[in-house]
């Protein structure tokens, strides 16, 4: 072929390719075995990394470590309430830069699974819904409801069009090979009766009609309509998944939980590398061809983004920890498993699978190709003992609850329970204490009284509807004068969440809270009343909005009943009394965590008064030298929030102890990119009685557990 001809052919090729991409033709399809990309069946490992739970400066390294760990696909949700804070107003800047995140994945040669939802749950405030949806007249979320469907379609279309305009679908030469519509809908479907299945069909059709050129999935949705693929979420999909709902759909696992999210009052959920590897291998043995780790990197719930009672650190036990450091042996063991399985992909994707028993609790899964290639998985479900099994005239010893992999059906080269990766350990190195009184300045919030509040109602208002989620805080206030003697008054407060701080005549008297599993709580507090008019001020605090379940639009939080009992028979009921309300705190309104608004209030020296509550503290610090991740140790504080250079690093709640008596989280990640070399502004809002003098700044590093000497080689 002459050069001229080659150029000509090249142009024809480009023209055909462009045409195919415009029509979005079949670049990604599937059959009963797997996804088919560019004509080839694919066995894919995927890992969830959520862009707003880290910083753009971390993305490249996180994606690189996922790739090195044998991950082919990065899966992320799309976070509607970040992107559309007001109807029709969009934000894709900074941590919200979805396009930049996807292009970074593409630059490293990985694929993307884009879970648009737009309901995402994800332990994310309001399940990802913008709060303004709450006030759309007649709206009922996630069902056959016109207002809801309008906004869901509007946002889904916005995202699909954004991806198309950037050429990001695989059908356009981009990295996105899959999209998700809705999310674990089957959990709530029955609550909507006959409207549930109608909505599922509508959502599937709406997605498909957007013509992305790549398949859609619905996770935990056995009745996902064609051509949408139903997929499994869970910890043990090899055991629990009923399989695809059609023989021409592949078996896919969209959430294999590497750990579990943690709530205040809860201990971390540690899932061993062996257990994850067992279930991944079992899923592959049962003809699974796509597995996603939820999460591969969890990260940080900055600001007010967690859902109710969920801690700020997210899936810290994932293969990459909150800071993006390798968690060993998990990361390494899964990497080895990926290499082993990838090496067998041809027989796994093309071969004929058979299974048979090799013992009372043991099975073999064998994949054979016409070429003679053969791979076997020998499963021991006995969790108590080693067993020796016979397979093709050879004997093999299997560890308890393990799967042996034989890439040639002869030699067992891998066992899921045999971990050869060395474990590591994370250590914190103290770089600065904030332990001198003159390092800090404080500003105390005024406790508002009924007469200070212009917002009035003759009933107890629902918390979320009143704050419109502009703040965690809502003051409920009233004043009253007892009509007769009330010698031993008891204040009784009932709330449906999440936290209450009660004050009488501006003196703090008691705090109470519910929990993730039991939102409602009540308090009975003996109080002292003065002669004359008394001011009662009750601060209701939310720790994230709910993120799951049906009828999210009609959830209730805040106070439901308030009484003062003077005697057995003499009770003042204030439930339908005249209440004053204040939305948010003064310091929030003035944004005292911002450099330019610091002067709005009077800061003073820290005092030791016992009337100590609702206090803002500020100080400055220099960044620790080096590039190790940084965390604030907040163990001496109780409950509140922290800002560094105006960026919220999240809520803290150290005083909510687990059943073992530990705080759920004491270390709070401060991304390096939030810092300047010197003079960084640290602002802390403490609701209760924390001691800022014990807050410290630390760097985080890893040591190999098997080499004690490494402790001595740590950089300072
Ligand atoms: C989405 O709704 C906005 C108004 O909120 C409208 O301007 C826009 O055209 C709609 N977009 C689509 C794709 O429907
Ligand atoms: C083979 O697999 C099928 C489907 O999972 C199962 O029903 C059957 O019990 C298995 N047979 C053996 C011998 O394990
Ligand atoms: C199983 O065998 C391994 C060696 O292959 C041994 O280290 C281990 O203790 C055995 N476990 C049990 C439960 O017998
Ligand atoms: C196992 O041994 C039997 C008898 O020696 C023989 O017939 C059979 O082919 C062998 N099977 C394999 C897979 O080697
Ligand atoms: C890859 O598989 C082949 C058989 O298909 C086997 O001979 C080889 O040992 C395997 N490599 C690794 C690293 O397991
Ligand atoms: C207690 O502190 C709060 C906050 O600074 C203040 O509003 C209130 O007046 C103080 N009350 C007393 C009795 O000192
Ligand atoms: C929410 O507040 C508005 C007034 O701001 C009120 O009209 C509406 O009834 C409230 N809705 C609920 C569910 O409380
Ligand atoms: C006290 O009595 C007056 C008149 O009987 C009544 O209007 C008022 O609501 C009572 N106060 C309280 C706190 O019950
Ligand atoms: C109650 O609040 C009012 C209005 O702020 C104030 O004038 C009054 O002194 C307060 N009473 C007490 C006992 O603090
Ligand atoms: C408060 O008012 C509501 C609505 O009028 C009524 O249903 C409820 O019984 C009243 N509660 C009390 C304690 O009076
Ligand atoms: C955090 O600081 C406290 C002292 O306030 C200390 O006891 C604790 O060990 C520190 N935690 C870590 C992880 O360094
Ligand atoms: C679908 C599924 O496998 N769910 C499981 C997830 O993990 C938890 C905790 O181990 C189990 O209770 C669920 O059954």
């Amino acid at each position: 072929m002459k050069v001229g001809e080659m150029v000509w052919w090249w142009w024809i090729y480009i023209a055909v390719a462009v045409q195919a991409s415009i029509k979005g033709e079949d670049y990604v399809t599937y059959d009963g075995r797997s996804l088919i990309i560019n004509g080839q069946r694919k066995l894919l490992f995927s890992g969830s990394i959520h862009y707003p739970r880290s910083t753009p400066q971390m993305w490249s390294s996180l994606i690189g470590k996922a790739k090195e760990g044998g991950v082919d696909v990065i899966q992320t949700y799309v976070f509607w309430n970040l992107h559309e804070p007001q109807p029709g107003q969009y934000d894709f800047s900074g941590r919200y830069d979805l396009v930049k995140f996807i292009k970074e994945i593409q630059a490293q040669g990985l694929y993307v699974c884009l879970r648009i939802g737009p309901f995402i749950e994800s332990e994310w405030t309001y399940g990802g819904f913008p709060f303004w949806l709450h006030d759309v007249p007649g709206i009922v979320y996630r069902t056959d409801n016109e207002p809801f469907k309008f906004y869901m379609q509007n946002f889904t279309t916005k995202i699909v069009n954004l991806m198309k305009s950037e050429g990001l679908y695989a059908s356009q030469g981009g990295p996105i090979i899959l999209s998700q519509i809705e999310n674990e809908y089957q959990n709530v479907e029955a609550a909507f009766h006959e409207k549930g299945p109608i909505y599922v069909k509508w959502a599937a059709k709406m997605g498909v009609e957007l013509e992305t050129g790549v398949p859609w999935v619905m996770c935990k949705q056995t009745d996902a309509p064609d051509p949408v693929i139903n997929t499994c979420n869970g910890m043990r999909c090899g055991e629990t998944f009923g399989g695809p709902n059609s023989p021409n759909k592949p078996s896919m696992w969209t959430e294999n939980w590497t750990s579990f999210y943690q709530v205040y009052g809860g201990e971390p959920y540690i899932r061993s590398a062996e257990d994850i590897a067992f279930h991944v291998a079992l899923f592959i043995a049962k003809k699974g061809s796509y597995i996603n780790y939820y999460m591969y990197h969890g990260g940080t719930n900055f600001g007010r983004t967690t859902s109710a009672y969920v801690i700020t650190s997210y899936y810290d036990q994932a293969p990459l920890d909150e800071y993006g450091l390798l968690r060993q042996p998990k990361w390494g063991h899964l990497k080895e498993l990926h290499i082993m399985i990838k090496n067998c992909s041809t027989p796994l994707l093309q071969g004929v699978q058979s299974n048979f028993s090799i013992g009372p609790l043991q099975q073999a899964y064998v994949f054979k190709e016409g070429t003679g290639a053969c791979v076997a998985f020998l499963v021991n479900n006995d969790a108590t003992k080693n067993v020796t099994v016979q397979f093709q005239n050879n004997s093999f010893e299997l560890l308890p609850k393990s799967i042996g992999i034989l890439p040639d059906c002869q030699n067992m080269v891998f066992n899921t329970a045999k971990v050869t990766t060395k474990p590591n350990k994370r250590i914190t190195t103290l770089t600065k204490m904030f332990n001198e009184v003159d390092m800090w300045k404080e500003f105390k919030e005024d406790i508002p009284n009924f007469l200070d509040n212009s917002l009035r109602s003759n009933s107890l208002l629902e918390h979320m509807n009143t704050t419109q989620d502009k703040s965690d805080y809502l003051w409920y206030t009233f004043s009253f004068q007892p009509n007769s003697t009330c010698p031993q008054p008891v204040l009784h407060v009932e709330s449906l969440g999440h936290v209450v701080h009660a004050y009488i005549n501006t003196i703090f008297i008691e705090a109470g809270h519910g929990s993730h599993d039991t939102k409602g709580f009540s308090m009975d507090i003996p109080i002292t009343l003065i002669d004359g008019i008394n001011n009662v001020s009750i601060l209701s605090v939310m720790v994230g909005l709910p993120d799951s379940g049906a009828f999210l639009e009609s959830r209730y939080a805040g106070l439901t009943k308030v009484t003062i009992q003077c005697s057995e028979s003499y009770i003042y009921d204030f439930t339908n009394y005249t209440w004053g309300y204040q939305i948010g705190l003064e310091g929030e309104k003035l944004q005292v965590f911002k450099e330019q608004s610091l002067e709005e209030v009077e800061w003073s020296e820290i005092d030791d008064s016992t009337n100590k509550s609702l206090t803002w503290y500020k100080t400055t610090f220099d960044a620790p030298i080096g590039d190790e991740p940084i965390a604030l140790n907040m163990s001496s504080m109780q409950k509140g929030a922290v800002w560094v250079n105006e960026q919220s690093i999240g809520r803290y709640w150290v005083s909510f102890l687990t059943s073992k008596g530990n705080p759920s989280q004491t270390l709070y990640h401060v991304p390096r990119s939030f810092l300047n070399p010197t003079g960084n502004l640290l602002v802390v809002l403490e609701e209760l009685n924390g001691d800022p003098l014990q807050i410290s700044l630390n760097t985080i590093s890893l040591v190999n557990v098997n080499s004690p000497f490494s402790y001595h080689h740590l950089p300072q």
Side-chain angles (χ1 to χ4, degrees), residues 57 77 79 87 94 122 171 199 244 360 375 439 459 469 477 518 564 569 655 675:
Q57 291 77 9
Y77 281 124
F79 297 77
S122 194
S171 49
Y199 168 69
V375 47
M439 286 176 164
S459 62
D469 195 36
T477 62
T518 313
I564 292 178
S569 57
S655 58
L675 297 182

PDB file of all heavy atoms in Angstrom, residues 57 77 79 87 94 122 171 199 244 360 375 439 459 469 477 518 564 569 655 675:
ATOM      1  N   GLN A  57      -6.108  17.401  44.457  1.00  0.00           N
ATOM      2  CA  GLN A  57      -4.667  17.139  44.588  1.00  0.00           C
ATOM      3  C   GLN A  57      -4.395  15.674  44.933  1.00  0.00           C
ATOM      4  O   GLN A  57      -3.291  15.183  44.717  1.00  0.00           O
ATOM      5  CB  GLN A  57      -4.072  18.053  45.673  1.00  0.00           C
ATOM      6  CG  GLN A  57      -4.037  19.531  45.311  1.00  0.00           C
ATOM      7  CD  GLN A  57      -5.404  20.234  45.416  1.00  0.00           C
ATOM      8  OE1 GLN A  57      -6.382  19.682  45.920  1.00  0.00           O
ATOM      9  NE2 GLN A  57      -5.467  21.449  44.904  1.00  0.00           N
ATOM     10  N   TYR A  77     -20.324   7.724  42.446  1.00  0.00           N
ATOM     11  CA  TYR A  77     -21.646   8.331  42.384  1.00  0.00           C
ATOM     12  C   TYR A  77     -21.491   9.756  41.859  1.00  0.00           C
ATOM     13  O   TYR A  77     -20.406  10.323  41.861  1.00  0.00           O
ATOM     14  CB  TYR A  77     -22.258   8.419  43.789  1.00  0.00           C
ATOM     15  CG  TYR A  77     -22.862   7.146  44.322  1.00  0.00           C
ATOM     16  CD1 TYR A  77     -22.430   6.615  45.535  1.00  0.00           C
ATOM     17  CD2 TYR A  77     -23.896   6.514  43.656  1.00  0.00           C
ATOM     18  CE1 TYR A  77     -23.008   5.467  46.060  1.00  0.00           C
ATOM     19  CE2 TYR A  77     -24.474   5.362  44.183  1.00  0.00           C
ATOM     20  CZ  TYR A  77     -24.032   4.842  45.383  1.00  0.00           C
ATOM     21  OH  TYR A  77     -24.601   3.726  45.894  1.00  0.00           O
ATOM     22  N   PHE A  79     -23.006  13.502  42.834  1.00  0.00           N
ATOM     23  CA  PHE A  79     -23.589  14.071  44.057  1.00  0.00           C
ATOM     24  C   PHE A  79     -24.444  15.289  43.722  1.00  0.00           C
ATOM     25  O   PHE A  79     -23.963  16.412  43.643  1.00  0.00           O
ATOM     26  CB  PHE A  79     -22.463  14.408  45.037  1.00  0.00           C
ATOM     27  CG  PHE A  79     -21.697  13.188  45.479  1.00  0.00           C
ATOM     28  CD1 PHE A  79     -20.754  12.601  44.643  1.00  0.00           C
ATOM     29  CD2 PHE A  79     -21.956  12.596  46.705  1.00  0.00           C
ATOM     30  CE1 PHE A  79     -20.083  11.453  45.030  1.00  0.00           C
ATOM     31  CE2 PHE A  79     -21.272  11.446  47.104  1.00  0.00           C
ATOM     32  CZ  PHE A  79     -20.345  10.878  46.262  1.00  0.00           C
ATOM     33  N   PRO A  87     -32.159  25.264  42.198  1.00  0.00           N
ATOM     34  CA  PRO A  87     -32.635  24.754  40.906  1.00  0.00           C
ATOM     35  C   PRO A  87     -32.017  25.536  39.745  1.00  0.00           C
ATOM     36  O   PRO A  87     -32.071  26.766  39.730  1.00  0.00           O
ATOM     37  CB  PRO A  87     -34.152  24.977  40.962  1.00  0.00           C
ATOM     38  CG  PRO A  87     -34.478  25.185  42.396  1.00  0.00           C
ATOM     39  CD  PRO A  87     -33.250  25.648  43.094  1.00  0.00           C
ATOM     40  N   GLY A  94     -13.640  22.865  41.881  1.00  0.00           N
ATOM     41  CA  GLY A  94     -12.836  22.302  42.975  1.00  0.00           C
ATOM     42  C   GLY A  94     -13.073  20.816  43.193  1.00  0.00           C
ATOM     43  O   GLY A  94     -12.946  20.015  42.270  1.00  0.00           O
ATOM     44  N   SER A 122     -25.510   6.362  50.028  1.00  0.00           N
ATOM     45  CA  SER A 122     -24.082   6.611  50.202  1.00  0.00           C
ATOM     46  C   SER A 122     -23.707   7.313  51.500  1.00  0.00           C
ATOM     47  O   SER A 122     -22.683   7.997  51.557  1.00  0.00           O
ATOM     48  CB  SER A 122     -23.565   7.433  48.999  1.00  0.00           C
ATOM     49  OG  SER A 122     -22.169   7.430  48.968  1.00  0.00           O
ATOM     50  N   SER A 171     -18.416   5.164  24.056  1.00  0.00           N
ATOM     51  CA  SER A 171     -18.919   5.235  22.681  1.00  0.00           C
ATOM     52  C   SER A 171     -18.342   6.427  21.938  1.00  0.00           C
ATOM     53  O   SER A 171     -18.404   6.506  20.724  1.00  0.00           O
ATOM     54  CB  SER A 171     -20.447   5.323  22.708  1.00  0.00           C
ATOM     55  OG  SER A 171     -20.854   6.329  23.625  1.00  0.00           O
ATOM     56  N   TYR A 199     -42.504   3.191  38.234  1.00  0.00           N
ATOM     57  CA  TYR A 199     -41.352   4.102  38.331  1.00  0.00           C
ATOM     58  C   TYR A 199     -40.067   3.422  37.843  1.00  0.00           C
ATOM     59  O   TYR A 199     -39.257   4.037  37.148  1.00  0.00           O
ATOM     60  CB  TYR A 199     -41.216   4.570  39.783  1.00  0.00           C
ATOM     61  CG  TYR A 199     -39.926   5.283  40.095  1.00  0.00           C
ATOM     62  CD1 TYR A 199     -39.650   6.548  39.567  1.00  0.00           C
ATOM     63  CD2 TYR A 199     -38.970   4.693  40.933  1.00  0.00           C
ATOM     64  CE1 TYR A 199     -38.464   7.212  39.868  1.00  0.00           C
ATOM     65  CE2 TYR A 199     -37.786   5.346  41.242  1.00  0.00           C
ATOM     66  CZ  TYR A 199     -37.536   6.600  40.708  1.00  0.00           C
ATOM     67  OH  TYR A 199     -36.366   7.241  41.002  1.00  0.00           O
ATOM     68  N   PRO A 244     -28.337 -12.765  37.179  1.00  0.00           N
ATOM     69  CA  PRO A 244     -28.959 -11.816  36.257  1.00  0.00           C
ATOM     70  C   PRO A 244     -30.391 -12.256  35.954  1.00  0.00           C
ATOM     71  O   PRO A 244     -30.707 -13.448  36.020  1.00  0.00           O
ATOM     72  CB  PRO A 244     -28.096 -11.907  34.996  1.00  0.00           C
ATOM     73  CG  PRO A 244     -26.900 -12.707  35.337  1.00  0.00           C
ATOM     74  CD  PRO A 244     -27.177 -13.457  36.589  1.00  0.00           C
ATOM     75  N   PRO A 360     -18.084 -32.887  51.796  1.00  0.00           N
ATOM     76  CA  PRO A 360     -19.379 -32.479  52.357  1.00  0.00           C
ATOM     77  C   PRO A 360     -19.594 -30.962  52.300  1.00  0.00           C
ATOM     78  O   PRO A 360     -20.697 -30.500  52.056  1.00  0.00           O
ATOM     79  CB  PRO A 360     -19.330 -32.977  53.802  1.00  0.00           C
ATOM     80  CG  PRO A 360     -17.915 -33.385  54.065  1.00  0.00           C
ATOM     81  CD  PRO A 360     -17.267 -33.650  52.744  1.00  0.00           C
ATOM     82  N   VAL A 375      -9.095 -23.905  34.236  1.00  0.00           N
ATOM     83  CA  VAL A 375      -8.829 -23.261  35.520  1.00  0.00           C
ATOM     84  C   VAL A 375      -9.843 -23.764  36.541  1.00  0.00           C
ATOM     85  O   VAL A 375     -10.996 -24.026  36.199  1.00  0.00           O
ATOM     86  CB  VAL A 375      -8.822 -21.708  35.403  1.00  0.00           C
ATOM     87  CG1 VAL A 375     -10.003 -21.214  34.631  1.00  0.00           C
ATOM     88  CG2 VAL A 375      -8.783 -21.032  36.755  1.00  0.00           C
ATOM     89  N   MET A 439      -2.237  31.045  72.834  1.00  0.00           N
ATOM     90  CA  MET A 439      -2.328  30.662  71.419  1.00  0.00           C
ATOM     91  C   MET A 439      -3.740  30.886  70.882  1.00  0.00           C
ATOM     92  O   MET A 439      -3.949  30.955  69.686  1.00  0.00           O
ATOM     93  CB  MET A 439      -2.022  29.171  71.250  1.00  0.00           C
ATOM     94  CG  MET A 439      -0.573  28.799  71.400  1.00  0.00           C
ATOM     95  SD  MET A 439      -0.455  27.001  71.284  1.00  0.00           S
ATOM     96  CE  MET A 439       1.301  26.844  71.009  1.00  0.00           C
ATOM     97  N   SER A 459     -46.612  26.429  67.729  1.00  0.00           N
ATOM     98  CA  SER A 459     -46.417  24.982  67.833  1.00  0.00           C
ATOM     99  C   SER A 459     -44.935  24.694  67.667  1.00  0.00           C
ATOM    100  O   SER A 459     -44.148  25.588  67.359  1.00  0.00           O
ATOM    101  CB  SER A 459     -47.224  24.263  66.755  1.00  0.00           C
ATOM    102  OG  SER A 459     -46.750  24.666  65.490  1.00  0.00           O
ATOM    103  N   ASP A 469     -32.073  23.275  55.991  1.00  0.00           N
ATOM    104  CA  ASP A 469     -30.724  22.703  55.975  1.00  0.00           C
ATOM    105  C   ASP A 469     -29.634  23.768  55.747  1.00  0.00           C
ATOM    106  O   ASP A 469     -28.534  23.448  55.302  1.00  0.00           O
ATOM    107  CB  ASP A 469     -30.613  21.586  54.922  1.00  0.00           C
ATOM    108  CG  ASP A 469     -29.357  20.748  55.134  1.00  0.00           C
ATOM    109  OD1 ASP A 469     -28.986  20.523  56.299  1.00  0.00           O
ATOM    110  OD2 ASP A 469     -28.745  20.333  54.131  1.00  0.00           O
ATOM    111  N   THR A 477     -37.239  28.542  71.596  1.00  0.00           N
ATOM    112  CA  THR A 477     -37.232  29.326  72.846  1.00  0.00           C
ATOM    113  C   THR A 477     -38.659  29.689  73.276  1.00  0.00           C
ATOM    114  O   THR A 477     -39.554  29.866  72.450  1.00  0.00           O
ATOM    115  CB  THR A 477     -36.459  30.653  72.663  1.00  0.00           C
ATOM    116  OG1 THR A 477     -37.106  31.441  71.666  1.00  0.00           O
ATOM    117  CG2 THR A 477     -35.017  30.410  72.229  1.00  0.00           C
ATOM    118  N   THR A 518     -31.670   4.592  66.794  1.00  0.00           N
ATOM    119  CA  THR A 518     -32.809   5.078  67.560  1.00  0.00           C
ATOM    120  C   THR A 518     -32.755   6.597  67.573  1.00  0.00           C
ATOM    121  O   THR A 518     -32.052   7.195  68.382  1.00  0.00           O
ATOM    122  CB  THR A 518     -32.767   4.557  69.020  1.00  0.00           C
ATOM    123  OG1 THR A 518     -32.491   3.151  68.971  1.00  0.00           O
ATOM    124  CG2 THR A 518     -34.069   4.792  69.731  1.00  0.00           C
ATOM    125  N   ILE A 564     -42.988  21.149  81.609  1.00  0.00           N
ATOM    126  CA  ILE A 564     -42.322  21.312  82.907  1.00  0.00           C
ATOM    127  C   ILE A 564     -43.285  20.772  83.953  1.00  0.00           C
ATOM    128  O   ILE A 564     -44.441  21.213  84.045  1.00  0.00           O
ATOM    129  CB  ILE A 564     -41.954  22.781  83.193  1.00  0.00           C
ATOM    130  CG1 ILE A 564     -40.847  23.228  82.231  1.00  0.00           C
ATOM    131  CG2 ILE A 564     -41.478  22.935  84.651  1.00  0.00           C
ATOM    132  CD1 ILE A 564     -40.428  24.676  82.393  1.00  0.00           C
ATOM    133  N   SER A 569     -49.308  15.950  89.543  1.00  0.00           N
ATOM    134  CA  SER A 569     -50.523  16.289  88.791  1.00  0.00           C
ATOM    135  C   SER A 569     -50.430  17.641  88.100  1.00  0.00           C
ATOM    136  O   SER A 569     -51.290  17.990  87.305  1.00  0.00           O
ATOM    137  CB  SER A 569     -51.719  16.288  89.743  1.00  0.00           C
ATOM    138  OG  SER A 569     -51.465  17.198  90.796  1.00  0.00           O
ATOM    139  N   SER A 655     -17.483  13.066  72.221  1.00  0.00           N
ATOM    140  CA  SER A 655     -18.082  12.676  73.501  1.00  0.00           C
ATOM    141  C   SER A 655     -19.118  11.558  73.363  1.00  0.00           C
ATOM    142  O   SER A 655     -19.589  11.030  74.358  1.00  0.00           O
ATOM    143  CB  SER A 655     -18.729  13.898  74.163  1.00  0.00           C
ATOM    144  OG  SER A 655     -19.701  14.456  73.305  1.00  0.00           O
ATOM    145  N   LEU A 675      -3.664  23.864  53.109  1.00  0.00           N
ATOM    146  CA  LEU A 675      -2.710  24.616  53.934  1.00  0.00           C
ATOM    147  C   LEU A 675      -1.769  25.500  53.140  1.00  0.00           C
ATOM    148  O   LEU A 675      -1.390  25.191  52.015  1.00  0.00           O
ATOM    149  CB  LEU A 675      -1.870  23.633  54.761  1.00  0.00           C
ATOM    150  CG  LEU A 675      -2.621  22.774  55.772  1.00  0.00           C
ATOM    151  CD1 LEU A 675      -1.640  21.907  56.541  1.00  0.00           C
ATOM    152  CD2 LEU A 675      -3.431  23.638  56.726  1.00  0.00           C
TER     153      LEU A 675
END
